[in-house]
């Protein structure tokens, strides 16, 4: 039997009752597989790794060691949320690594988007490897692989996969949600008690804000990006748009434009608002956001975010534009 093939008879998990049955079964299977050994998990705070973490905590408690690497490219409050939920809420064995300086040094002056992605990915593997070497008695590696990852990319998940670890650090895999579709992972996440903000989180690229701070990343623009993104999220939430728009974020380009503040000329950054609706991210449309909502967001960004003098709304569908800017 191919353990990576979803049986035709497997019922779609759509209700809390079905989710509970799945959780009970997985808890049993995980205990059988892991016994009294330790399991390592890279916990990004995304839906899939969070659900896997919660499942494993339920099954084996402190035998799970979660490593959360803050690469400094997280959205505002996201690393704090991971700590709050897993360390404080679920009493997880959580190793938190603030690698912001390390990443920003590596990325300094790097303009090419693909090179940026490679550096962010490679640095993650390096940090994860360092942590894995510090820990003793780890025999398993848990991953948030889901069924589309298996179908679409032979089980290689760009932002979860730590398969780039060296030979002597190859662990047996624990992938409890590998046969589930995203919507099922969410139902299971709710049943495990994870909060809506985490379970319903919109897709967030592995390289995080790194590909939204265009060109060579600088701290000032990264800060403008994080703060403007937080304002956008807050105002979309207030306007009831969070569940209606598939993905939304801000982008800060690497050019300045002229502005005027307190009667003086300034040369500051623009902020671009990007919002899209899509089914599969292959094509996307731009939602018509209420003018008053956009105006409120623009006003707040212009008055609250340092170094920004202009706000734009991106009207480009995919194709020809991609969802992300780089
Ligand atoms: P594009 O920009 O290609 O984005 O229209 C389609 C979807 O993929 C996400 N995306 C990424 N996700 N690593 C990821 O894990 C990446 O490097 C990456 N680039 C884009 C994007 O946010 C959108 O949901």
């Amino acid at each position: 039997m191919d353990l990576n093939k979803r049986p035709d008879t497997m019922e779609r998990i759509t209700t809390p009752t079905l989710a509970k049955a799945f959780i009970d079964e997985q808890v049993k299977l995980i205990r059988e597989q892991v016994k009294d050994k330790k399991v390592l998990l890279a916990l990004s705070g995304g839906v899939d790794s969070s659900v896997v973490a919660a499942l494993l905590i339920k099954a084996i408690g402190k035998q799970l060691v979660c490593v959360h690497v803050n690469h400094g490219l997280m959205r505002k409050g996201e690393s704090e949320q991971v700590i709050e939920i897993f360390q404080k809420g679920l009493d997880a064995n959580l190793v938190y690594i603030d690698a912001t300086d390390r990443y920003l040094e590596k990325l300094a002056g790097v303009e090419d988007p693909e090179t940026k992605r490679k550096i962010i990915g490679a640095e993650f593997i390096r940090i994860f490897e360092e942590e894995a070497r510090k820990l003793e008695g780890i025999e398993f590696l848990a991953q948030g692989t889901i069924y589309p990852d298996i179908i679409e990319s032979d089980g290689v998940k760009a932002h979860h996969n730590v398969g780039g670890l060296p030979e002597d650090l190859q662990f047996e895999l624990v992938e409890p949600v590998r046969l589930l579709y995203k919507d099922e992972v969410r139902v299971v996440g709710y049943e495990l008690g994870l909060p809506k903000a985490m379970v319903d989180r919109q897709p967030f690229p592995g390289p995080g804000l790194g590909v939204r701070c265009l060109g060579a990343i600088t701290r000032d623009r990264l800060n403008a990006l994080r703060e403007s993104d937080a304002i956008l999220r807050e105002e979309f939430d207030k306007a009831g748009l969070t569940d209606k728009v598939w993905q939304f974020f801000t982008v800060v380009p690497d050019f300045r434009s002229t502005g005027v503040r307190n009667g003086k000329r300034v040369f500051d950054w623009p902020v671009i608002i990007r919002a899209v609706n899509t089914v599969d991210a292959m094509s996307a449309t731009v939602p018509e956001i209420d003018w008053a909502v956009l105006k409120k967001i623009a006003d707040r960004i212009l008055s609250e975010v340092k170094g920004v003098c202009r706000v734009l709304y991106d009207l480009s569908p995919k194709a020809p534009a991609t969802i992300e800017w780089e």
Side-chain angles (χ1 to χ4, degrees), residues 117 159 203-207 212 246-247 281 318 322-324:
R117 279 187 170 80
H159 59 292
F204 186 57
R212 297 174 182 170
W246 194 79
Q247 194 176 16
K318 177 179 182 174
T322 51
I323 296 174
E324 301 288 344

Side-chain angles (χ1 to χ4, degrees), residues 124-311:
F124 176 78
I125 304 255
R126 220 163 287 142
I127 293 174
F128 195 73
E129 179 189 341
E130 283 170 23
E131 287 313 307
R133 288 197 190 287
K134 282 186 211 158
L135 299 162
E136 288 192 0
I138 304 279
E139 291 197 14
F140 296 88
L141 182 71
Q143 294 201 136
T145 312
I146 65 171
Y147 204 46
D149 302 326
I150 291 180
I151 301 170
E152 286 158 24
S153 56
D154 271 339
V156 176
K157 182 160 200 167
H159 59 292
H160 278 275
N161 179 53
V162 278
L165 287 172
E167 274 290 299
D168 65 319
L169 272 183
Q170 294 298 325
F171 307 102
E172 189 179 321
L173 293 180
V174 183
E175 296 179 309
V177 298
R178 72 184 180 285
L179 297 183
L180 303 194
Y181 289 100
K182 196 83 180 186
D183 53 300
E184 298 177 287
V185 177
R186 294 192 208 276
V187 180
V188 170
Y190 275 125
E191 186 59 27
L192 284 163
L194 292 175
K196 181 172 164 46
M198 190 164 250
V199 176
D200 272 345
R201 199 175 90 147
Q202 58 180 283
F204 186 57
L209 298 182
V211 288
R212 297 174 182 170
C213 189
L214 306 187
I217 298 168
T218 55
R219 284 184 194 256
D220 59 344
R221 284 189 306 118
L222 190 55
N223 182 58
L225 178 60
R226 186 174 287 118
E227 294 303 322
S228 58
D229 180 76
I231 292 171
L232 175 70
R233 282 199 283 162
E234 203 180 307
E235 293 303 327
F236 263 40
D237 228 15
K238 277 192 215 156
L241 293 171
T242 301
D243 293 333
K244 294 201 183 111
V245 180
W246 194 79
Q247 194 176 16
F248 50 90
F249 51 87
T250 59
V251 173
V252 177
D254 53 348
F255 55 82
R256 294 179 195 258
S257 83
T258 319
V260 58
R261 194 175 287 121
N262 303 326
K264 281 206 190 98
R265 266 175 110 73
V266 290
F267 204 43
D268 278 344
W269 307 112
V271 163
I272 300 154
I273 298 171
R274 181 73 168 140
V276 292
N277 275 328
T278 176
V279 175
D280 55 9
M282 300 299 282
S283 63
T285 55
V286 179
E288 283 184 35
I289 305 298
D290 186 31
W291 188 254
V293 175
L294 282 177
K295 191 172 175 318
K296 172 102 184 286
I297 295 166
D299 287 346
R300 280 197 61 195
I301 291 174
L302 292 171
S303 67
E304 293 173 36
V305 183
K306 202 166 161 257
V308 174
C309 67
R310 219 174 270 269
V311 176

